Amino acid sequence: MVFGNMGDTSGTGVAFSRNPSTGEKGLYGEFLMNAQGEDVVAGIRTPQTIDQLEKTQPDVYAQFVSIVDKLEKHYRDMQDMEFTIEEGKLFMLQTRNGKRTAAAALKIACDLIDEGMISEKEAVSMIDPKQLDALLHPQFDAKKLKAATPIGQGLAASPGAACGKVVFTADDATEWATQKGEKVILVRLETSPEDIEGMHYSEGILTVRGGMTSHAAVVARGMGTCCVSGCSEIVMNEEAKTFTLAGKVFKEGDVISIDGSTGKIYGEAIPTVEATVTGYFGRIMELADKFRALQVRTNADNPTDAKQARLYGAEGIGLCRTEHMFFNPDRIAAMREMIVSKTAAQREKALAKLLPMQQGDFEELYEALEGNPVTIRFLDPPLHEFVPTDEGDIVALAKEMDMDVADLKAVISSLHEFNPMMGHRGCRLAVTYPEIAKMQTQAVIQAALAVSARHPEWNIVPEIMIPLVGEIKELAFVKNVVTETADKCIANSGKCIADSGKALTYKVGTMIEIPRAALTADEIAKEAEFFSFGTNDLTQMTFGFSRDDAGKFLDSYYDNKIYESDPFARLDVTGVGKLVEMASTLGKQTRPDIKLGICGEHGGDPSTIEFCHKIGLTYVSCSPFRVPIARLAAAQANIKNPRN
Amino acid sequence: MVFGNMGDTSGTGVAFSRNPSTGEKGLYGEFLMNAQGEDVVAGIRTPQTIDQLEKTQPDVYAQFVSIVDKLEKHYRDMQDMEFTIEEGKLFMLQTRNGKRTAAAALKIACDLIDEGMISEKEAVSMIDPKQLDALLHPQFDAKKLKAATPIGQGLAASPGAACGKVVFTADDATEWATQKGEKVILVRLETSPEDIEGMHYSEGILTVRGGMTSHAAVVARGMGTCCVSGCSEIVMNEEAKTFTLAGKVFKEGDVISIDGSTGKIYGEAIPTVEATVTGYFGRIMELADKFRALQVRTNADNPTDAKQARLYGAEGIGLCRTEHMFFNPDRIAAMREMIVSKTAAQREKALAKLLPMQQGDFEELYEALEGNPVTIRFLDPPLHEFVPTDEGDIVALAKEMDMDVADLKAVISSLHEFNPMMGHRGCRLAVTYPEIAKMQTQAVIQAALAVSARHPEWNIVPEIMIPLVGEIKELAFVKNVVTETADKCIANSGKCIADSGKALTYKVGTMIEIPRAALTADEIAKEAEFFSFGTNDLTQMTFGFSRDDAGKFLDSYYDNKIYESDPFARLDVTGVGKLVEMASTLGKQTRPDIKLGICGEHGGDPSTIEFCHKIGLTYVSCSPFRVPIARLAAAQANIKNPRN
């Protein structure tokens, strides 16, 4: 036992060998003279910064500096140390690798390479990929944040910080953002698929109801938009367009700030700063790319997200969901017309209206990707998600479509499903209404032809992905619709092909998201040129619970230590992983060069990425804001288990 | 080419070597003189019975009889033959094994054994098990049926014939049947889980909406009750308690008859005759039992069904669903009280009311089974199935429970689920509310103790089955609740044990109905003493579609030849079967003596039974009315692929 409280030549302190916030080299810490460790921790006396020690005890300081240098060289990492001085004699109590911010971790790793202390591989391996998340979203200006006081607390549902004017409907969000150029925060009781467009135009999303896996939370994370969900303290008045929080009434246009990394809500403006992948971050990313075997793609369905992901290093789009495109106000009408059609001819007429818009969407994506691969998933959700639920909206739609209201209501009610997740969706839509798949194929191929003609230097090879396949004959049926349409499109467009000097080719593949598809992957691979594991749905069906409903019992499961982590965040390797591995093996048996990817939310989770690397997938695909995390995790996986 | 139209010594005819309706030995057929085959088929002239030939052409007849005898001995089966006589010379045109009714098939098989023509194994193998279905339900008196004219047509949803007075609500069905002793036909727009009890008391069920897999159809098939579903010609007036069909208004109490094997509806009384397994049927069943390796159990949750199944040869109960027991009017109140409870103490109070009733249920079952095994599945469906949906019922319940209506509505609405099939149900109920599992365990154990005390000659070993398990720790948690409660019950009941002279033992096992359970069956078998494959849910989750919703697209799948048979009727061996086989193998690895059964509706399907035999299951369990079919199919499977 040594004593730091033996008088004025005694003392105790803690120090880091580098600054744990910035990574700057040099001692960083504090100490108290005539004190024990608990006095430092207790915070009763104000400690001095470590450099003060040089003045009061220069010999001890010099000895300390030399020991720190020795320790760093020994452990080859930044050290976090405790020391005590007893009557002028230095005792080191403890040393360990120090915790640090993401920014510090990057700088320290780079500096340690430059100082010849560690190899590039070691530098890549020493950074926790999850930490990067903090660097990839806008953050509050640190100084301004200090002066602000939170007025409410919700769930930290999607990271990042946002500041903007309060709006109460998705339409207002779109209008204010696009027509007035305002930055808005969308405040809702909860969001629904109809709100997608408005969510896109919002800086941040705040909901009163819903947990970490609510619609708002999941969609916001996918978009990389800041979201605070489930702030039940808010009293909402949707009609008056006001809400009350901490005794204050907020109305439309009032400025608030929210932090999706902490769940805090502020009743004032706090400026934010943008994220970039440059400097040390950029250097570590380059190293990661050097060492990884897995490709990294992104899930994106609009040019903004796609460009953002490319800036973050995405090598292509692994999942473009086409359904979000139909919620746009100028499209939803045609979409609804298609849904309530009674004949294939009526449906085709409505689809013809959607075709040029859809083609436009894809052209923009191909432009944004500059020849890198784009995987387009055909329409997936049940059709009832597109029809209005509100009485007024129904009446308006009936009028617009020249239909009897009762008739329209009957159609809407016929779309009701007991278990929509396991209902009429995915490729089942294409089996019952092949004209939908035809329209989408035309859009994909015509867009590819048009962009190829404009950019003959790009090699655009569209990847058409059929969702929710469970049986080889089902895929064969839809694929037949796709290839017939695509081949006709290509043949009819002699001019485009001549312009680019080469014939357009395309691939048809499938999602593996239904257990039966995984179990019969050897058969499915006969028709599928690629598999993309849709681990969100695959997890739901393998566990037999729906994400929307699991909230009611998952807490009991965590409390009783039945589940240790959220199976929607981290792939369940034992069960779901077994299916993924089985499908990969079976798929390769049939088609050795099959391209295998993952496009569930798990695609951005480091431990899942390690698993994907091990079982030999070609790529992972994740939301734009997780691309750098995936690049680093992929590199670490390959350093740990090098792929031949 | 021979000619039967060469004059009065020529002719043509068809004949069977035995009567295809009854199986009676002896020539059966008809012929026309001076005619060709097409004249017989055309039905313009009335043919003579075959015995008339003996009078007109005795030599030809004698020759024919001798040939028939030769043909039967050669093919060792009843022959269906075509012949022509050209100017007194007999020509045989064709012979083949003849089609026959179920009754004829049984008699012929027995006669052929007795005549030394075939072995017992051949007799068992020559009968199509599915044909037996026709013999296992009440049928219309054939003579009376001939005189009746159908007035409507629905789907043949559950076989059998029924005649009774029309009632329009399940409560009326129960009341008329139990208090007035009336035979009733329940006529509904569609049925719901709340109707279960009334369905039980009905002779037959007729619905306006719903297909072959609607609630009414599935439940009726399980009960062996005749059902005609989806008769959309009916115009229903539920308030007035009348319906209109074929221009006639039927009111409560009017007599109708329905045939669930043909879907026909009659506006009059047609008497029915009961089914028995005796005579030739009984003899074939005895032979089947001699040759089969698979045990056959039944799915039954009341003594009536259990006794019926025992008469049909069931060796135990493979699945007793406990939820139906709670829809009884004297229990639903306590059940609802339990559901809307806000604390565990309130819940326990409500459960205490249910305990003696539940114990009584189980005592009756043990009595009915006379020491044969009974597998009891713990509460499975989502709780919202038990709460009222009708405004009036909600108000009544609130009053009864001294609750605020708005408060009760909030509780009910909080039970709403997006995908109830994948929601808060099965063992998830026991994880969140362990007191439910405790009450059910108490009921099971106390009932077993009580019946064992009354019948020390029976060896009652309760089998407690935990539903919807997907993870070993989940099963371990619930099993722990069960064993703690059971062991306490057994310890506290020294007297009962002393009476029977032996300590009660019990088994705890699980349903394998979630893909993850099958994939991790090696782990699950560490806790489970038996597996029962719940292939209804397993099929839904493996295919990723819900039975209630699949109707919207399955027709397109059949039309496009994507699916060849209904995966809910015949087990999908390629996908779902792969999981079942994998789980069996993994389960045996961990626990070589594990008992393996199947209790989905597939348990009564012959091709599924053959699969179950091949992969080494211990038993199949099916609805009472399919037990003889299962016994025969199991024998055929073992004759084809003998088990070591």
Side-chain angles (χ1 to χ4, degrees):
Chain A
M1 178 92 182
V2 291
F3 295 90
N5 51 0
M6 300 284 278
D8 289 348
T9 55
S10 298
T12 193
V14 294
F16 292 85
S17 59
R18 294 168 197 246
N19 184 321
S21 292
T22 63
E24 210 63 48
K25 194 172 179 178
L27 271 183
Y28 181 90
E30 48 192 27
F31 71 101
L32 273 176
M33 292 313 282
N34 197 14
Q36 280 293 68
E38 59 263 33
D39 302 316
V40 181
V41 177
I44 300 163
R45 288 163 58 193
T46 307
Q48 296 175 278
T49 55
I50 197 81
D51 54 317
Q52 296 295 314
L53 190 65
E54 192 173 8
K55 289 173 197 159
T56 52
Q57 304 224 22
D59 291 353
V60 170
Y61 184 75
Q63 194 192 0
F64 186 66
V65 168
S66 138
I67 290 171
V68 168
D69 188 54
K70 206 174 277 174
L71 286 172
E72 255 211 353
K73 283 195 175 121
H74 179 78
Y75 289 108
R76 302 190 303 147
D77 197 357
M78 182 253 266
Q79 295 302 298
D80 170 358
M81 300 152 295
E82 293 176 19
F83 64 91
T84 287
I85 307 162
E86 190 181 77
E87 297 181 336
K89 188 169 180 189
L90 175 66
F91 294 88
M92 298 299 295
L93 303 186
Q94 179 182 286
T95 190
R96 57 185 169 186
N97 294 345
K99 286 205 164 56
R100 63 208 79 177
T101 64
L106 294 167
K107 177 168 166 50
I108 290 169
C110 291
D111 286 350
L112 291 177
I113 300 172
D114 294 342
E115 292 164 25
M117 272 215 267
I118 59 172
S119 70
E120 288 177 339
K121 281 187 184 175
E122 285 168 319
V124 165
S125 298
M126 76 190 290
I127 298 160
D128 178 3
K130 284 185 187 162
Q131 253 197 317
L132 300 182
D133 200 32
L135 300 175
L136 292 165
H137 301 277
Q139 300 299 315
F140 286 132
D141 182 312
K143 281 177 199 159
K144 299 287 166 62
L145 181 62
K146 265 194 179 164
T149 313
I151 56 162
Q153 175 77 46
L155 299 170
S158 177
C163 168
K165 292 187 175 174
V166 169
V167 292
F168 289 89
T169 72
D171 288 347
D172 288 343
T174 307
E175 196 188 316
W176 287 44
T178 57
Q179 290 171 28
K180 302 188 195 172
E182 298 277 11
K183 296 196 165 186
V184 299
I185 307 276
L186 177 60
V187 184
R188 303 279 287 151
L189 272 179
E190 54 198 338
T191 61
S192 71
E194 296 174 32
D195 296 335
I196 294 282
E197 205 202 1
M199 291 171 79
H200 246 299
Y201 286 113
S202 303
E203 301 297 307
I205 295 149
L206 171 60
T207 70
V208 182
R209 298 193 201 131
M212 293 296 292
T213 57
S214 63
H215 180 265
V218 172
V219 172
R221 280 200 294 276
M223 290 175 173
T225 301
C226 150
C227 174
V228 173
S229 70
C231 176
S232 53
E233 304 154 34
I234 291 177
V235 179
M236 190 76 161
N237 188 336
E238 284 187 311
E239 274 186 40
K241 293 197 175 175
T242 64
F243 73 84
T244 310
L245 180 60
K248 197 186 154 188
V249 178
F250 290 84
K251 53 183 201 305
E252 194 179 52
D254 286 351
V255 174
I256 62 168
S257 302
I258 60 174
D259 190 334
S261 310
T262 63
K264 290 195 164 51
I265 302 154
Y266 302 85
E268 63 198 280
I270 311 174
T272 59
V273 289
E274 274 298 327
T276 51
V277 182
T278 51
Y280 299 111
F281 196 171
R283 182 168 164 200
I284 292 292
M285 284 295 107
E286 274 173 34
L287 289 178
D289 291 349
K290 187 168 151 186
F291 297 124
R292 69 189 159 91
L294 271 174
Q295 292 166 29
V296 177
R297 293 193 183 187
T298 191
N299 301 346
D301 49 25
N302 62 72
T304 314
D305 283 359
K307 282 177 192 155
Q308 180 68 64
R310 295 258 294 138
L311 283 176
Y312 284 166
E315 296 159 281
I317 290 180
L319 172 64
C320 164
R321 299 180 181 90
T322 51
E323 47 271 21
H324 293 169
M325 298 166 173
F326 298 118
F327 285 109
N328 213 304
D330 56 336
R331 303 174 180 198
I332 190 79
M335 190 66 189
R336 287 170 174 170
E337 190 183 323
M338 192 275 286
I339 292 168
V340 303
S341 290
K342 294 196 171 166
T343 65
Q346 284 178 322
R347 224 168 2 251
E348 276 165 7
K349 199 178 139 206
L351 285 164
K353 293 183 194 170
L354 290 169
L355 173 59
M357 306 183 204
Q358 179 98 101
Q359 181 179 334
D361 296 329
F362 298 146
E363 288 189 29
E364 284 181 3
L365 280 181
Y366 291 133
E367 295 278 0
L369 266 290
E370 300 176 318
N372 287 289
V374 180
T375 306
I376 292 167
R377 180 178 76 180
F378 277 12
L379 196 66
D380 183 56
L383 298 180
H384 63 74
E385 287 195 8
F386 297 95
V387 294
T389 47
D390 180 85
E391 178 74 23
D393 291 349
I394 294 172
V395 173
L397 177 62
K399 200 173 167 190
E400 193 182 300
M401 299 202 52
D402 199 19
M403 265 179 98
D404 189 57
V405 173
D407 208 18
L408 177 59
K409 279 189 182 169
V411 172
I412 291 175
S413 112
S414 77
L415 293 172
H416 167 80
E417 296 186 298
F418 295 98
N419 295 286
M421 243 215 68
M422 307 181 76
H424 192 185
R425 50 175 285 238
C427 67
R428 297 162 196 166
L429 296 169
V431 171
T432 49
Y433 309 126
E435 47 281 4
I436 301 178
K438 275 185 206 162
M439 182 281 279
Q440 292 204 294
T441 305
Q442 271 183 291
V444 165
I445 298 296
Q446 286 172 189
L449 288 167
V451 178
S452 295
R454 290 200 287 274
H455 294 280
E457 73 281 14
W458 296 342
N459 180 28
I460 297 176
V461 182
E463 298 174 351
I464 292 174
M465 180 152 76
I466 313 299
L468 218 74
V469 163
E471 153 67 41
I472 169 75
K473 288 186 199 156
E474 185 181 35
L475 175 59
F477 178 87
V478 182
K479 186 181 171 184
N480 188 43
V481 172
V482 169
T483 54
E484 272 188 6
T485 310
D487 294 348
K488 205 183 290 173
C489 265
I490 294 171
N492 287 346
S493 65
K495 190 180 165 302
C496 298
I497 299 171
D499 280 355
S500 70
K502 64 198 171 211
L504 184 78
T505 59
Y506 60 93
K507 291 188 200 307
V508 182
T510 183
M511 298 276 282
I512 302 284
E513 54 187 334
I514 282 192
R516 196 175 187 278
L519 291 162
T520 63
D522 46 347
E523 294 190 359
I524 303 232
K526 289 179 197 158
E527 295 288 347
E529 291 172 86
F530 60 89
F531 286 170
S532 181
F533 292 97
T535 48
N536 293 350
D537 275 12
L538 192 60
T539 297
Q540 297 188 83
M541 292 181 193
T542 305
F543 274 88
F545 53 68
S546 111
R547 197 160 151 145
D548 290 327
D549 300 308
K552 285 188 189 160
F553 54 86
L554 278 186
D555 281 343
S556 292
Y557 276 66
Y558 296 135
D559 291 349
N560 291 308
K561 303 215 170 3
I562 294 172
Y563 295 140
E564 272 151 33
S565 64
D566 175 2
F568 294 114
R570 182 177 185 154
L571 191 80
D572 158 51
V573 170
T574 319
V576 182
K578 194 166 183 175
L579 280 180
V580 172
E581 188 166 6
M582 186 187 295
S584 302
T585 308
L586 292 172
K588 280 183 198 162
Q589 270 172 24
T590 302
R591 192 186 286 264
D593 64 342
I594 193 165
K595 200 159 51 74
L596 303 170
I598 178 174
C599 65
E601 268 201 73
H602 300 100
D605 167 63
S607 80
T608 308
I609 292 168
E610 188 178 341
F611 173 76
C612 293
H613 171 82
K614 267 194 218 158
I615 64 166
L617 298 199
T618 322
Y619 67 86
V620 297
S621 187
C622 56
S623 61
F625 288 84
R626 297 193 76 84
V627 166
I629 297 171
R631 287 160 73 193
L632 182 56
Q636 293 182 350
N638 199 31
I639 290 169
K640 208 165 149 191
N641 296 294
R643 205 182 262 184
N644 299 328
Chain B
M1 179 94 181
V2 291
F3 295 90
N5 51 1
M6 300 285 278
D8 288 347
T9 56
S10 299
T12 193
V14 293
F16 291 86
S17 60
R18 295 168 195 246
N19 184 321
S21 291
T22 64
E24 210 63 48
K25 193 170 180 176
L27 271 183
Y28 181 90
E30 47 191 30
F31 71 100
L32 272 177
M33 294 312 284
N34 196 15
Q36 281 291 70
E38 58 264 32
D39 301 318
V40 182
V41 177
I44 300 162
R45 289 166 56 194
T46 305
Q48 296 176 277
T49 56
I50 197 80
D51 54 314
Q52 297 295 315
L53 191 65
E54 191 171 10
K55 292 175 195 154
T56 53
Q57 303 222 23
D59 293 352
V60 169
Y61 183 76
Q63 193 190 1
F64 186 65
V65 167
S66 137
I67 289 172
V68 167
D69 189 52
K70 206 173 279 176
L71 285 172
E72 254 211 357
K73 284 199 173 118
H74 179 78
Y75 290 107
R76 303 189 304 144
D77 197 359
M78 180 253 266
Q79 295 302 298
D80 170 359
M81 300 152 294
E82 293 178 19
F83 64 92
T84 286
I85 307 161
E86 189 182 78
E87 295 180 338
K89 187 168 180 192
L90 176 65
F91 294 88
M92 298 299 293
L93 303 186
Q94 179 184 284
T95 189
R96 57 183 168 186
N97 294 345
K99 284 204 164 53
R100 64 207 78 177
T101 65
L106 292 167
K107 177 169 166 52
I108 290 169
C110 292
D111 287 351
L112 291 178
I113 300 172
D114 295 342
E115 292 164 25
M117 272 218 265
I118 60 173
S119 70
E120 289 177 339
K121 282 188 184 176
E122 286 168 318
V124 165
S125 299
M126 76 190 291
I127 298 159
D128 178 2
K130 283 185 188 162
Q131 252 196 317
L132 300 183
D133 200 31
L135 301 175
L136 292 165
H137 301 277
Q139 299 299 315
F140 287 131
D141 181 310
K143 281 177 198 158
K144 300 287 166 61
L145 182 63
K146 265 196 178 160
T149 314
I151 57 164
Q153 175 78 47
L155 300 170
S158 177
C163 169
K165 291 187 175 173
V166 169
V167 291
F168 289 88
T169 71
D171 287 346
D172 289 343
T174 307
E175 196 188 316
W176 287 43
T178 58
Q179 289 171 26
K180 303 187 193 172
E182 298 277 13
K183 295 196 166 189
V184 299
I185 307 275
L186 177 61
V187 184
R188 303 278 287 150
L189 272 178
E190 54 198 334
T191 61
S192 72
E194 296 175 35
D195 296 336
I196 295 282
E197 205 202 0
M199 292 170 77
H200 245 299
Y201 287 114
S202 303
E203 300 297 308
I205 295 149
L206 171 60
T207 71
V208 182
R209 299 195 200 129
M212 293 296 290
T213 58
S214 63
H215 179 266
V218 172
V219 172
R221 279 198 296 275
M223 291 176 174
T225 300
C226 148
C227 174
V228 174
S229 70
C231 176
S232 52
E233 305 155 33
I234 291 177
V235 178
M236 189 76 162
N237 188 337
E238 284 187 313
E239 274 186 42
K241 293 195 175 176
T242 65
F243 72 84
T244 312
L245 180 59
K248 196 185 154 190
V249 177
F250 291 83
K251 53 182 199 309
E252 194 179 50
D254 287 351
V255 174
I256 63 169
S257 301
I258 60 174
D259 189 335
S261 311
T262 64
K264 289 194 164 51
I265 302 153
Y266 302 85
E268 61 197 281
I270 311 174
T272 59
V273 288
E274 274 298 326
T276 51
V277 182
T278 51
Y280 300 110
F281 196 171
R283 180 167 167 201
I284 292 293
M285 283 297 107
E286 273 173 34
L287 289 178
D289 291 348
K290 185 167 153 187
F291 297 123
R292 70 187 157 93
L294 270 175
Q295 293 166 30
V296 177
R297 293 194 183 186
T298 190
N299 301 346
D301 48 25
N302 62 71
T304 315
D305 283 359
K307 281 176 193 156
Q308 181 68 64
R310 295 258 294 139
L311 283 177
Y312 283 168
E315 295 159 281
I317 290 181
L319 172 64
C320 163
R321 299 180 182 91
T322 51
E323 47 271 20
H324 293 170
M325 298 167 173
F326 298 117
F327 284 107
N328 215 301
D330 55 337
R331 301 173 181 201
I332 189 82
M335 190 65 188
R336 287 171 174 169
E337 191 184 322
M338 193 275 286
I339 292 168
V340 303
S341 290
K342 293 196 170 164
T343 65
Q346 284 178 323
R347 226 170 356 255
E348 276 165 7
K349 200 178 138 205
L351 286 164
K353 293 183 194 170
L354 291 169
L355 174 59
M357 306 184 204
Q358 178 97 101
Q359 181 179 334
D361 296 330
F362 297 147
E363 287 189 28
E364 284 181 5
L365 280 180
Y366 290 133
E367 295 278 1
L369 267 290
E370 300 174 318
N372 287 289
V374 180
T375 306
I376 292 167
R377 180 178 75 181
F378 275 13
L379 194 66
D380 184 56
L383 298 180
H384 63 73
E385 287 195 8
F386 298 95
V387 294
T389 48
D390 181 84
E391 178 74 22
D393 291 349
I394 293 173
V395 172
L397 178 61
K399 201 174 165 188
E400 194 181 299
M401 300 202 52
D402 197 21
M403 265 179 98
D404 189 57
V405 173
D407 207 18
L408 177 59
K409 279 189 182 168
V411 173
I412 291 175
S413 112
S414 77
L415 292 172
H416 167 79
E417 296 186 298
F418 295 98
N419 296 286
M421 243 215 68
M422 307 181 78
H424 192 184
R425 51 174 285 238
C427 67
R428 296 162 196 165
L429 295 170
V431 172
T432 50
Y433 308 126
E435 46 280 4
I436 301 178
K438 275 185 207 163
M439 183 280 280
Q440 292 203 294
T441 304
Q442 270 183 291
V444 166
I445 299 296
Q446 289 174 8
L449 287 167
V451 178
S452 294
R454 290 199 286 276
H455 295 281
E457 72 281 14
W458 296 344
N459 179 26
I460 297 177
V461 182
E463 299 175 349
I464 292 175
M465 181 152 75
I466 312 299
L468 218 72
V469 163
E471 152 68 39
I472 170 74
K473 288 185 199 159
E474 184 180 36
L475 174 58
F477 178 87
V478 182
K479 188 182 171 185
N480 188 43
V481 172
V482 169
T483 53
E484 271 189 7
T485 309
D487 294 348
K488 205 184 289 174
C489 265
I490 294 169
N492 285 346
S493 66
K495 190 178 166 301
C496 297
I497 298 170
D499 281 356
S500 69
K502 64 200 170 209
L504 184 79
T505 59
Y506 60 93
K507 291 188 202 302
V508 182
T510 183
M511 300 274 283
I512 302 284
E513 54 187 334
I514 282 194
R516 197 176 186 279
L519 292 162
T520 63
D522 46 348
E523 294 191 359
I524 302 229
K526 289 180 197 159
E527 295 287 346
E529 291 173 85
F530 61 87
F531 286 170
S532 181
F533 292 97
T535 48
N536 293 349
D537 274 12
L538 192 61
T539 297
Q540 297 189 84
M541 292 183 195
T542 305
F543 273 90
F545 52 68
S546 112
R547 197 161 152 146
D548 290 326
D549 300 307
K552 286 188 186 159
F553 54 85
L554 278 186
D555 281 344
S556 292
Y557 276 67
Y558 297 134
D559 291 349
N560 291 307
K561 302 213 171 5
I562 293 171
Y563 294 140
E564 272 151 33
S565 65
D566 176 0
F568 294 113
R570 182 178 184 154
L571 191 79
D572 157 51
V573 170
T574 319
V576 183
K578 194 167 183 175
L579 279 180
V580 172
E581 189 167 6
M582 187 187 298
S584 302
T585 307
L586 291 173
K588 280 183 197 161
Q589 269 172 26
T590 301
R591 192 186 286 266
D593 64 342
I594 193 164
K595 201 159 52 73
L596 302 169
I598 179 175
C599 63
E601 268 200 76
H602 301 98
D605 167 64
S607 81
T608 307
I609 291 168
E610 188 178 342
F611 173 76
C612 292
H613 171 82
K614 266 195 217 158
I615 63 165
L617 297 200
T618 321
Y619 68 87
V620 297
S621 186
C622 55
S623 61
F625 289 84
R626 298 192 76 85
V627 166
I629 297 171
R631 287 161 73 192
L632 182 56
Q636 293 182 351
N638 198 33
I639 290 168
K640 209 164 148 190
N641 296 293
R643 205 183 261 185
N644 297 328

